[in-house]
Every structure is written in structure tokens, then in C-alpha cells.
Amino acid sequence: MADMIKCSVCGENNPADNEFCKNCQSRLQSLSGPSKGDNAPLQAGQVPTKKVTSEGDFSETLADDKSSAPSTLTWMTPQESAPEKDGLAFWLAETGQSPASFSDETAAPVQPAASTPEASSSNADKSDWLHDLQSGASTFDETPVDQTPISSDERPDWLKNMDAGAASFEQKPVEQPVSQSQSAPASDVPDWLRTFGEPPAPSTPSAPAAPSGEMPQVVQPLEPADVGISPAVDMPDWLSSPEPDESEPQPQESGQASSAAPAFADGSLSSGDVDAIFGSLQMPDWLSSAAAPSQPLASESPPPAAQSGASIAPADLPSWVQAMRPVEATLLDTNSGESVDSVVEMNGPLAGLQGVLPAMPGGMKPSYRPESHSIKLNASEEQLAHSALLEQILAEETTPVPMKSPSTILSQRVLRWVITAFLFLFVGGIFFAKTEIFALPSRGQLLNDETEATISVMDSIPEGAPVLVVFDYEPSLAGELEAVGAPLFNRLLLLKHPNLAIVSTSPTGSALAERFMSTTLKGRNYQRDVQYVDLGYLAGGLAGVYDFAQNPTKVMPFGADGSAVWNSSVLQGKTRLAEFSAVIVLTDSAEAGRVWIEQAGPFRGNASFVVISSAQAGPMLMPYLQSAQINGLVAGLNSAAKVEQANGQPGLARRYWDAYSLGLLVAVAFMFLGGLWNFFLGLQARRAQEAK
Amino acid sequence: MRTVAVVLAVLTGLIVLVGYFVPALAGIQTILLSWTIILAGTATVVGVFNLISVHGNKITHREKGSVYSTLLLFSLIATFIFGIGLGPDNPNMQMLVSAIIVPVESTLMALLAVTLLYAGIRLLRRRTDLMSIIFLLTAALMLFASATLPFGEISPLNNWIRPWVQQVLALGGTRGILIGVALGTLTTGLRVLFGADRPYGGK
Amino acid sequence: MNLIGLSLVGFSAILLLALSLIKRKSPPKLRVIPALTRLYRAISLSVEDGTRLFIHLGPNSLLTPHGGAPLAGLGMLRHLTERTSFSDRPPIAAAGESSLALLAQDTLEAGYEAAGAGEYYQPLSGRLTGMTPFSAAAGAMSIIRDEDVSASILIGHFGVEAALMAEAAERQNAFLLGASDDPASQAALYASAPEVLIGEELYSAGAYLGATASHAASLTVQDILRWLIIIALLAGSAMKLFGMI
């Protein structure tokens, strides 16, 4: 099989004329030659040599490239490990031309660094077409790029030597325009590449170059050698040096074996060639204007690599071209001192690229423990001071301000103790002294004196009659009520010898009644169940008064001791309230007295109703006396003293009267003097507050 | 359940209220009042348990005043045991009332005398206004008019001024207050009957 | 049949219903009572500084003619519980009578649930402080002294023993509002308590804390009936004076 090229990717045999494999669409021939000399890839820190490239229409060139572009990007497919040679730089190096030398026919061809004999053999061919390019560089702006395709024999060796797995671009094969006359074998060769081997021809600016499906070099990803890929790194086939082509002269050895040849060598391309390359593309204005001063650039001293005699002069990469360099160009920087990731991606869209994804330290096992980072805030002293100040401000806001509680004035405690002392002294002293200095209140001075009515009622009770006595006061007022009730009960018990039925509306009432009968009326010698009976506690308190008044025997059928008191000799078979001769209520509150008066009043019939109350309840019970709802009222020690005077026998009222009177006088003195003092103090404090 | 409680409360209140005016409902009123008295008696027992719980919790958590709570519970249990054993009519139980309950409460009453006197003295410092002055002067006058002097009573003061102030001024004002209180009680009771106020709980 | 009493009750009920319906959309216009204004502030302060609120309903039972005052106290307790349920220290409600203490517990629980803080309710925050007025006052004094109370409210039927609780609050520099329907107690509280409600003002306390249409209507009914009674008294006095009756 003649003229068959085996695809390095899939192993399919392809015609030699094919640029791309018909099976896997990978590039069959590498684009670049070995990277030697000026064609060597750029190293870190190395300034790429500026080259004058074709000023043709980039769009045409791009269109031409598209016509024969393979469907897949061969550089994306798994590639065999490429040779270390850099294809693109190689062919540039072999031409020995620099961009500046495109328009300078007399410029010495730059001798690219050649690492292999194969590369050097192709340099000679390249130098011819580049030389041709150089001669045509002057007509770059004026003459259109001749779209005449070159034959396969006329193709530069670097192109032939490109591996089948050279990267191609993902461009659909575009139907070649009619104007682009191409021979069948050369149909895949981009026009801008074809023009490299053609003599400069007048070209119209409007005639675009028709690349055979490949993008122009300016938009192609640069060869690894252009960006300084070390020879030791695996490169995709399209970037690696092509298979050694015997017909190609080996690239010349250069003193700088490892130095990267500039991508563009001065003078390597003529203006016409540049036009052929870029004629089909839309060239930016800055590039167009740069074409003019390309000649002065030719006078610049070529880089050392170019001085080695390579045919292609190194070119200066514009910045926007450098930005388009592949990722490996930034990662694989051997002079940076960083460890070089030697992993070449084999799968996926990054296949063939090297060092794209940094290898994980310690193998492929992911580290589950995240890196520890310092949480210490890096703040300056000023910032720390500001934050401390802010914290202080916030702390003051949240700290509760202690309320200025008014301290207990010592005088208040002193005053209380003084009052207590005076009362103890005067009241207690005169009580224990048993004096009778103070005169008792006179009786009979008032019209409608309540005590006189009461005495009359008591005297009207029949002898031995049953009397209902209600004990409805609290233990706290037992002292007063016993003192107030004693004179009247003494008179009653002494004169009339009634039978008493005791009932209470408070739980302590029975006990208080027993105390009253056994201590206060001890002299009368009344015996329980003989002269008096205890009916006990009336359930419900004042709420049970109405029911009791309605039917006493039903509500309280038994006595406090559980005996049948209603049939006893004391009560003599009395079963209704009206059958009692009198009802006497001892109470410390006006409300209890009112309840008994209003609830039991309708059921008492002709029974006398007498209320013995404390001094505080007297005024409110007086209307009941005045309205004749009750028959008698003894309120307070004052009334009790009058009853005692009527009895003719001194009792508790006389005994308490001196202490009672003196205590009242002391209280009046304290209130008057102390009140006057505090009045002026209060005025003073008020004025001071108003002044504030 | 809340609705049932409301209905029961309203219905019961209406029957008791109307029973005062309509004799036909007097019987039901009496029954309801009897049930109320029984419930009030039961509540007394529950109240005692509440007392035990509160003071027991105080003792358990050793709060301030837990010593007095201990004394209270001890006294309560002892009185209960003695009352069950001896009976309320036992002279010893009577002595318990006479020797402990009456003196303690009388002491508080005596303390009240000092408290009220102290409050009267400082009244004008707290409220420096005309009403306070009148209040204090009236109180002092009534106290002075209730006492007698060694040489005898001051008749106009004791026999005329004091009764007049008590029966006219004080009683008139008290009646006015009591009328207002009665009206307030009436409207409050009506609000409870209508269910606007539910002191028995509920939303 | 007591027609006068029945007609008075019926008239009051009809008036209350009608005014409740009329006033349900308009805000109530209440006169300023300084004591209640200061009470509101004291309650807010007690919630803010994490101290306790103490409400005592008095030693009187609901089964007495003076059961209206404890009822008003329960209504006020409900409002206060809803406002202070989220305080650091829960309010304490006490009474001097067992049935009233149970109702206070129930009202506390209802207030907590209404405020959405049912889990914060403690049954022991409703207490019986004593079986007699002075023993209940002594129990209340120990609560005011020992349990970090900053605001006390006495609302119910109190006697003169309320002055002891007022002095206990003064010793603790705590706020105290006294409201009783007993004139003697009102006199004692006027002298000893920082703030006191006189007369029927205690029945309006609930309206000032949480005014509803029925509350405002009841105050209006009271005012109307009061004027009617005034007119009746004056008219009767005049008629008696001129010998007409």
C-alpha cells in the first residue's frame, strides 16, 4: 500500500494525502517540527521573539481551515505518548526565520534549534517555503492570498511529519468554496499553510484564505514547545514532533538544546506569506498597523536562538495570543521551582494535557480531614482597640443599671421603736398599775343612746328563757369583744339566768365561745349542757345563716359534741328562731352583723335582736338600731363602760379604761406632732423636687 | 368541657338570683345553696393540702423562711392528731385555742396598732394634700373624742361632736361607698351571669 | 315578690347588654386613675427586672355579700397573669379562703394558657395563706418579704389587716396597690399604702388593664344607676321634708 499513513491514535491506515484520519479524525501529520533552536518551546522568563505573521484576512484563513477540519478534536482523544519534539516550534525553527525577517529578504534565516536529524532534514524544506513567504511579506497588505492549494509534494516537511494524532480542531469539514481550487490530496491543507510553500502571488485583500478545516496558527492552541513544555513531558500527538521523515532534513543542532525556540522567528515569513496566513482572517487594527512597522522590527537583533542559524526567526507572541495558550503552559513552568505534575490526562476533554489537574498528594485517596486553618483574626492594633471599645459600649448597654432603691431610713425604724416604746410604757404601765384615774363616759347624756335601749331590752327578757347567742368574730378581736360583751352578759346572766344556745359561723367560734364562757363569765358559773349548749360551727359561714334561720333543727340537728341538743332541757324543745326570747350576735365586722340582721331578721318573730360589736363596726350598724331592725347595740368599749356603770359593778371596761384612754391620747399626740413635722418635711421635699 | 362549665355556672347563678324574687324557685335555690356549702367545706380540706404542699416545697428546696414552714407543718400535724384523738371539746384542745391562737392573733392586732399609728404620722410626708390633712385631723379628733381625761370627759366632744361625726359624716360617706360597692357587685355579678367574666377559668 | 329588686336587676341586665353591644366597636373612654397608671408601670418594671408580682384576693369567700370584690380580683388576676406569664418569676396569687384560693389557681392556669405559656404554669403559685384574716395577712407578709416581690396588689374584701401587708411592702421598697370594698380597710390603706382605690374603683380595675366592651358597659351602668339613686335620694328627702311621704 503506497502512500498510506497509519493513524497513531486508532491505527487505521489512511492515505498519505490525508491530513486527518478518516476513522478517528485525528491529525495524521503533526503541525510542528522538533523543537530546537528557535522552534524550541518558550521557557519561563523567556521573552518570545516577535514575528511578523501574515496580514491576510483571518476570516478567509479561518474559513479555509474549517473546510477540512476534522469533526473531533484529536487533541481531545487519547493520544499515544508523543515524542519529545515540539512539532510547531520545530517547523518554525527549521525555517530559521523570524517574524521580522518576513519583509526582509536579506535577513539571515534563523536557524532553529533542531534536536533530531529528522527535524534537521525538514528544515531545509521549510526554509524554502518560509523564504518564499519572506519574499512575499512586503505585499501582505496589498496582495490577496493566493488560494491555490499546494500539492502534497510541495507541502513542507513539517507538515508531513506531523503525527496523525496531531491535534485538530473541532470543526466540521466545510465545503470548499468554488473559488478555492484545491487539488484532492491538498484539500485538507489549510490555505494559509499552503501559501507557505508557494511563491508570493498578488492577492486581493478581499480574497479570503480558505483553510482546510484548520484554524490558523494564531488561533490555534500553541504548541507545547511554544510555551516551554519540557521535553520530558508527555505531549499529545498533535503537539509532538511528527514521525521522522527521512526526506526532511534534521533540524540543526543549536547550542541551546533545551531552550525553547520562539514561536515566531524574525524574518521567517515574508509579508506575502503573512498575507497568506492571515489574509482570510479579520485582522484587528492593531495587528494591521503592526504589519507596517514589521520592517523596522526586522532590523532588531534576532534572539540568540535565531542567531544560531535556524531558518525560522522567533516571533514575539502578542499578549492575546499568549492568553490563548493552553493550560499546561501555565502549569508546567519548570523554572518556577514547583513540582511538575507529570500526569498526563488520558481521558475526557483534557486528554493529552499535562498538569491540568494537580495530583493529590499521597496518592489518589482524598483526604477527609480538612486542612486546619488558623481562626485567629489578623487585625491590627488599631482595629483591636476599636473592637474593644465597641465591646465596652455594648456591655454598658446590656449591663443593667442598678436602680437606686431608697435605703431604709434609720429614722423609720427608730420611729417605730419609739412608738412601740411609748405605747408599752404608757399603756402597759397604767394597765399593770391598775389605776382608775380617767373618768368613765357618762351615761344618759345622749338622746337615743344605744346603750340605754340595750339595757332595756336585756331587762325585758323573761327569766330562764332560751337565748340564741352567735359568736361571729375572729380571735384577733377576742380581747375587745370579750371586754365589750362581758358587762351585758354579766347583767343578763346575773339577772335573768337564761339558757343559752351558742352557734358560730367561723371554725374558731366554738372555741372562742367556750373561752368566753369559761374565763370571762367564770363568775357566773355557767355549765355546759346545763345552762348552755353548743350547736357548733354553722357550715358555709354566713351563707348558711338564711337556712339556719329558716329551719335551725334541720341545718344543725346535733350539737358540737353530737348530742341531741334540741330535745335537751336547755332548749326545752324550741325548734324555731322565733321561739327564742332574744338573739344576741357578737361580731367584729359590720358585714356579719348585717347578714344576721337581714337574713335572720324576718324569721326572729318577736325575739329581741341585740348586736354586740367592735368599735369599728358600730357606726355602720347604728342605722339598723335607728330603723328598729335591731333592738340594742353595744359598740366598743365606750358603750361597754356605760353598761358597766348601769350594772354598778366594775368589770373589764373599768379595768381597761385608763389604759385605753391614755393610749388614745398618746396616739393623738404622736399623730399631731409627727404629722406636723412630716408635713413640713414633705413640703420641703416637694419644693426641692420642683426646683430640680 | 369549658362550655359545659359556662352553662352550668350561668344556669345556677340565674336560678339562685331569681329564687330570691320568685318563691317558686326557692326550693331549688335552697338545694343549690346547700350544694355550694358542701363544696365550700370540701374546698377547706383542699386548701389545707395546698398549704401543706406550698410549705413542704419550701422545706424541700430550703428556701428562705423554711424554718417557719417546718414549724407550721409540725403544728398543723400535731393539732390535727390531737384533735382527732382528744376531740374538739376536750379542755386541752380548748387550751390550745386559748393559749396559742388567741394570743398570736391578738399580737398581730397589737402590731397593727403600731403600724397604723406610724402610717398616720407619715401620711403627710407621703401625701401632702388637703384630703390627707382632713383625714389626719378627723382621725385625731375622733381618737381624742373617744377618750376621757382624768378630770372627766369633754362633754361636747364626747357626747356631741363624736356622735355627729360618726353618724352623719362618716356614716353618710360609708353609705355612699357601700352603695357604689353594691352597684359594682351587681354589675360584676351580671357580667359573670352573662359569661363575659369567667372567674372559674376558661378562655 | 320583691318587685323593686327584681326590676332593678332586670333593668341593669338589659342596660348592660345593650351598652355592651353599642360599645363593642368604640374604644372605652375611662377617666384617668393615677393608681392604676402607676400599677401598670410597676407591673412592667417587675417583668423587666425579673421580680415577682403578688396578688392577694382577701380572706373573704365568694359566698358572702362581699363576694363581688373577690370576683373583680379574679378578673384582674386573669389580665395580670396574661401580661406577666413570661416573667422570670411567675406571679403568685393568694387568698385567705380555700374556695377562693382554688379559683385563683384555676385563673392562673387559664391566664397562662391564654398567653400560650401553659408549660410555665406552676400549681403552687396559687396559695392559701391562712384561714383567718390576720393569719392570711401574716402569710402574705412572708411572701412579700421572702419571695422577691416588687409589686403587690391587694384586691378583695380586706379588713384593717391590709395595713400590715402594706407595711411589709414598704419595708421591701415594693409597690403596693390596695383595693378593698370595706370602708375601714380603705381608711387603713389610705394611710399606709402608696396607692389605694377608694370605693367602687376596684370594680373598674379590670377595665383599665384589659378593657372589653362588657367592662366599659358595666362602668356606664354603674354610673347610670348611681345617678338614679342620687335622684331618688334627693327626691325622697325632699318629699319627706315637705311631708309628702
Side-chain angles (χ1 to χ4, degrees), chain A residues 406 416 474 476 591 594-595, chain C residues 66 132 134 167 171 173 182:
Chain A
R416 289 194 183 98
E474 298 296 329
S476 57
E591 287 72 29
R594 192 158 59 224
V595 168
Chain C
H66 293 276
T132 64
F134 275 90
E167 189 193 357
R171 285 172 181 263
N173 293 320
D182 180 55

Side-chain angles (χ1 to χ4, degrees), chain B residues 95-178:
Chain B
M95 186 184 68
L96 200 68
V97 174
S98 300
I100 298 177
I101 296 177
V102 173
V104 166
E105 298 235 348
S106 299
T107 302
L108 290 171
M109 192 66 175
L111 188 62
L112 186 63
V114 177
T115 302
L116 287 175
L117 186 56
Y118 171 80
I121 291 170
R122 287 182 56 82
L123 175 65
L124 292 181
R125 188 165 191 179
R126 188 184 300 122
R127 303 173 198 267
T128 313
D129 51 9
L130 181 62
M131 291 308 299
S132 301
I133 296 172
I134 295 174
F135 177 90
L136 202 59
L137 286 176
T138 307
L141 177 66
M142 295 305 296
L143 288 174
F144 188 72
S146 299
T148 58
L149 297 172
F151 52 85
E153 62 179 358
I154 305 172
S155 183
L157 200 61
N158 296 104
N159 297 324
W160 299 101
I161 295 175
R162 183 178 66 86
W164 182 81
V165 171
Q166 276 184 343
Q167 301 299 323
V168 177
L169 295 180
L171 189 59
T174 302
R175 280 176 172 173
I177 290 174
L178 291 177

Side-chain angles (χ1 to χ4, degrees), chain B residues 74-96:
Chain B
F74 176 75
S75 305
L76 187 148
I77 294 169
T79 306
F80 178 74
I81 292 172
F82 282 125
I84 293 293
L86 301 175
D89 293 332
N90 190 280
N92 294 323
M93 288 302 294
Q94 296 292 335
M95 186 184 68
L96 200 68

Side-chain angles (χ1 to χ4, degrees), chain A residues 206-546:
Chain A
S206 60
S212 56
E214 285 196 9
M215 292 176 63
Q217 185 184 1
V218 293
V219 296
Q220 286 180 357
L222 294 175
E223 302 299 328
D226 296 338
V227 295
I229 299 174
S230 81
V233 175
D234 291 336
M235 292 183 295
D237 292 342
W238 66 274
L239 291 178
S240 61
S241 300
E243 290 179 0
D245 188 355
E246 298 177 357
S247 61
E248 291 182 356
Q250 296 298 322
Q252 297 179 6
E253 297 287 339
S254 66
Q256 302 175 356
S258 60
S259 62
F264 293 97
D266 292 335
S268 58
L269 292 175
S270 63
S271 61
D273 297 333
V274 173
D275 291 340
I277 294 172
F278 297 109
S280 62
L281 297 177
Q282 197 74 24
M283 190 167 15
D285 296 337
W286 61 270
L287 195 57
S288 303
S289 59
S294 63
Q295 293 189 10
L297 292 175
S299 61
E300 292 177 359
S301 58
Q307 292 176 356
S308 62
S311 59
I312 300 175
D316 292 331
L317 280 180
S319 59
W320 58 274
V321 175
Q322 292 181 20
M324 293 170 61
R325 292 187 299 179
V327 180
E328 61 269 25
T330 58
L331 291 177
L332 299 178
D333 190 357
T334 54
N335 291 338
S336 65
E338 297 176 358
S339 60
V340 178
D341 192 351
S342 60
V343 176
V344 177
E345 300 297 327
M346 303 301 292
N347 301 315
L350 302 179
L353 294 179
Q354 202 170 1
V356 178
L357 297 176
M360 289 188 175
M364 296 304 294
K365 292 182 180 179
S367 172
Y368 292 101
R369 175 170 290 185
E371 295 180 7
S372 60
H373 299 279
S374 173
I375 61 173
K376 186 178 181 180
L377 189 65
N378 294 324
S380 63
E381 289 186 1
E382 186 181 359
Q383 290 174 336
L384 289 174
H386 287 166
S387 68
L389 185 63
L390 184 61
E391 283 183 6
Q392 187 180 357
I393 293 170
L394 291 175
E396 288 176 359
E397 290 292 328
T398 56
T399 302
V401 177
M403 292 178 62
K404 291 182 181 179
S405 60
S407 59
T408 305
I409 303 174
L410 184 63
S411 61
Q412 293 181 6
R413 290 189 177 181
V414 171
L415 181 59
R416 289 194 183 98
W417 282 111
V418 167
I419 293 171
T420 306
F422 266 82
L423 289 177
F424 266 116
L425 183 66
F426 288 97
V427 176
I430 203 166
F431 176 78
F432 287 109
K434 296 182 181 180
T435 60
E436 295 183 2
I437 302 174
F438 289 84
L440 288 175
S442 57
R443 51 185 290 244
Q445 299 293 327
L446 293 175
L447 193 64
N448 298 328
D449 193 351
E450 69 277 4
T451 54
E452 300 299 326
T454 307
I455 292 170
S456 302
V457 167
M458 290 294 103
D459 294 340
S460 65
I461 292 174
E463 194 168 334
V467 174
L468 180 66
V469 182
V470 179
F471 282 82
D472 196 354
Y473 59 87
E474 298 296 329
S476 57
L477 284 163
E480 182 186 8
L481 266 295
E482 289 173 358
V484 172
L488 193 66
F489 270 89
N490 276 322
R491 184 183 181 88
L492 180 64
L493 268 55
L494 186 63
L495 299 178
K496 303 298 178 180
H497 309 287
N499 294 331
L500 305 178
I502 297 172
V503 68
S504 175
T505 54
S506 65
T508 56
S510 294
L512 293 173
E514 195 62 35
R515 169 189 159 94
F516 182 70
M517 297 302 294
S518 61
T519 56
T520 307
L521 301 178
K522 185 178 181 181
R524 300 293 158 247
N525 201 21
Y526 257 58
Q527 301 294 325
R528 187 170 178 165
D529 296 329
V530 177
Q531 284 92 12
Y532 73 92
V533 292
D534 189 1
L535 298 177
Y537 164 63
L538 181 59
L542 293 176
V545 171
Y546 183 77

